[in-house]
């Protein structure tokens, strides 16, 4: 079966880009399961029930998240209730939501695990110990992992740690697609960062002039989501009967221009 993973959707431009591009992606790649990172879907930071439902309506089967998942307090009840939305599993266990979910696709039970990096981000437990514990008790045919991490070395280490045990490790969070996508020797599809779904005329999805003003003047600046030249970025893996990857393909396509 084929899994399509879409990188961090940034604000309404990213949601629009995904919505308008998904029909062509489905026609070209015929994915059996679509996983979308939505942690920046609400105004460029966080997720709400409305923006999550927008992603589901666009074709997401499961939504992953990251360090901004709790930005909007009004979304906590939805995060707790929605079984197809996951937050990092190595957050405190009493926090709203779940760290992994299992869904059915193409007649197989697929686990989607969300982890946060422990370097430069705040977590309750090691992502390595956490994923080991999850995999030890998992009732699924195979698993894919969204590793939302700051540091490339930690992402690469996670890929090697899970090689041969999960179908894919997709790195997210830094919004810039990396060139190391491949199938590792043990059969795990891996990429340090799949990139973002949002404006390329931006600094990680934010209007460039605003980021430059803050960096140069070092004064508080209100950030707004950039809207021009939206691209959809992600990756595909073909998963065999053993629950491992036979093929990895990076996805980077421009969204239709806004009228």
């Amino acid at each position: 079966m084929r899994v399509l993973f879409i990188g961090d959707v940034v604000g309404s431009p990213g949601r629009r880009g995904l919505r308008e591009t998904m029909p062509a992606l489905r026609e070209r790649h015929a994915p059996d399961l679509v996983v979308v990172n939505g942690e920046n879907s609400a105004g460029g930071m966080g997720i709400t029930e409305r923006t999550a439902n927008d992603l589901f309506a666009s074709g997401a089967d499961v939504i992953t998240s990251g360090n901004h998942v709790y930005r909007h307090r009004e979304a906590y009840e939805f995060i707790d209730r929605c079984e197809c939305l996951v937050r990092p599993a190595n957050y405190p266990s009493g926090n709203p939501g779940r760290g992994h979910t299992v869904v059915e696709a193409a007649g197989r039970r697929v686990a989607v695990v969300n982890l946060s990096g422990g370097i430069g981000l705040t977590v309750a437990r090691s992502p390595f110990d956490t994923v080991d514990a999850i995999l030890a008790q998992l009732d699924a045919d195979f698993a894919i992992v969204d590793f939302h991490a700051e540091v490339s070395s930690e992402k690469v280490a996670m890929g090697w740690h899970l090689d041969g045990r999960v179908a894919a490790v997709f790195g997210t969070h830094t919004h810039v697609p990396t060139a190391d996508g491949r199938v590792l020797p043990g059969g795990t599809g891996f990429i340090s960062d799949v990139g973002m779904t949002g404006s390329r005329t931006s600094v990680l999805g934010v209007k460039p002039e605003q980021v430059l003003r803050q960096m140069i003047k070092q004064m508080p600046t209100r950030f707004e989501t950039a809207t021009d030249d939206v691209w959809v970025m992600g990756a595909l893996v073909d998963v065999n009967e053993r629950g491992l990857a036979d093929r990895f393909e990076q996805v980077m396509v421009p969204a239709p221009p806004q009228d």
Side-chain angles (χ1 to χ4, degrees):
M1 65 173 289
R2 179 167 291 177
V3 177
L4 170 64
F5 185 94
I6 301 294
D8 308 45
V9 176
V10 182
S12 58
R15 300 198 315 272
R16 176 192 64 81
L18 179 64
R19 180 170 58 251
E20 296 180 358
T21 305
M22 185 58 74
L25 289 175
R26 285 195 178 278
E27 182 177 356
R28 178 177 178 181
H29 299 294
D32 299 294
L33 179 70
V34 178
V35 181
V36 177
N37 185 293
E39 76 127 9
N40 295 119
S41 61
M45 192 171 291
I47 190 167
T48 65
E49 182 170 4
R50 182 180 65 83
T51 62
N53 286 335
D54 195 0
L55 298 179
F56 285 131
S58 296
D61 297 302
V62 179
I63 298 174
T64 57
S65 60
N67 58 301
H68 294 308
V69 66
Y70 297 131
R71 177 68 60 168
H72 302 283
R73 184 177 295 273
E74 66 273 18
Y76 290 4
E77 186 274 335
F78 174 72
I79 294 169
D80 220 19
R81 167 169 44 92
C82 182
E83 295 187 359
C84 289
L85 168 62
V86 291
R87 48 82 168 164
N90 52 330
Y91 279 1
S93 56
N95 283 19
R98 58 201 47 78
H100 73 279
T101 191
V102 178
V103 296
E104 298 237 358
R108 304 177 75 181
R109 288 172 55 79
V110 184
V112 180
V113 182
N114 202 175
L115 298 167
S116 173
I119 302 174
L121 296 172
T122 302
V123 296
R125 297 176 300 281
S126 160
F128 298 92
D129 292 343
T130 300
V131 73
D132 286 348
I134 291 172
L135 294 178
Q137 53 83 44
L138 201 58
D139 179 18
D141 295 312
F142 67 88
I144 66 168
V145 175
D146 176 346
F147 191 31
H148 199 78
E150 190 80 47
V151 181
S152 296
S153 58
E154 190 179 22
K155 295 182 184 183
V156 173
M158 183 62 77
W160 289 112
H161 181 66
L162 294 178
D163 187 27
R165 296 198 285 157
V166 302
V169 176
F170 299 109
T172 60
H173 178 62
T174 51
H175 289 202
V176 178
T178 54
D180 58 346
R182 63 201 189 279
V183 177
L184 297 176
T188 293
F190 172 79
I191 186 169
S192 292
D193 202 286
V194 297
M196 71 172 182
T197 295
S199 168
R200 290 209 307 178
T201 308
S202 72
V203 178
L204 307 187
V206 176
K207 291 181 177 180
E209 63 273 17
Q210 296 172 346
V211 176
L212 287 169
R213 187 181 308 127
Q214 185 191 61
M215 289 186 172
I216 294 170
K217 299 295 185 181
Q218 298 185 22
M219 294 293 291
T221 303
R222 180 179 178 181
F223 286 168
E224 297 174 297
T225 306
T227 60
D228 296 333
D229 191 23
V230 172
W231 281 60
V232 176
M233 301 181 186
L236 282 160
V237 288
D238 289 342
V239 183
N240 58 36
E241 291 301 316
R242 296 181 295 124
L244 296 172
D246 283 333
R247 190 178 73 92
F248 175 96
E249 180 181 344
Q250 197 159 8
V251 174
M252 294 178 60
V253 295
Q258 194 168 13
D259 294 334

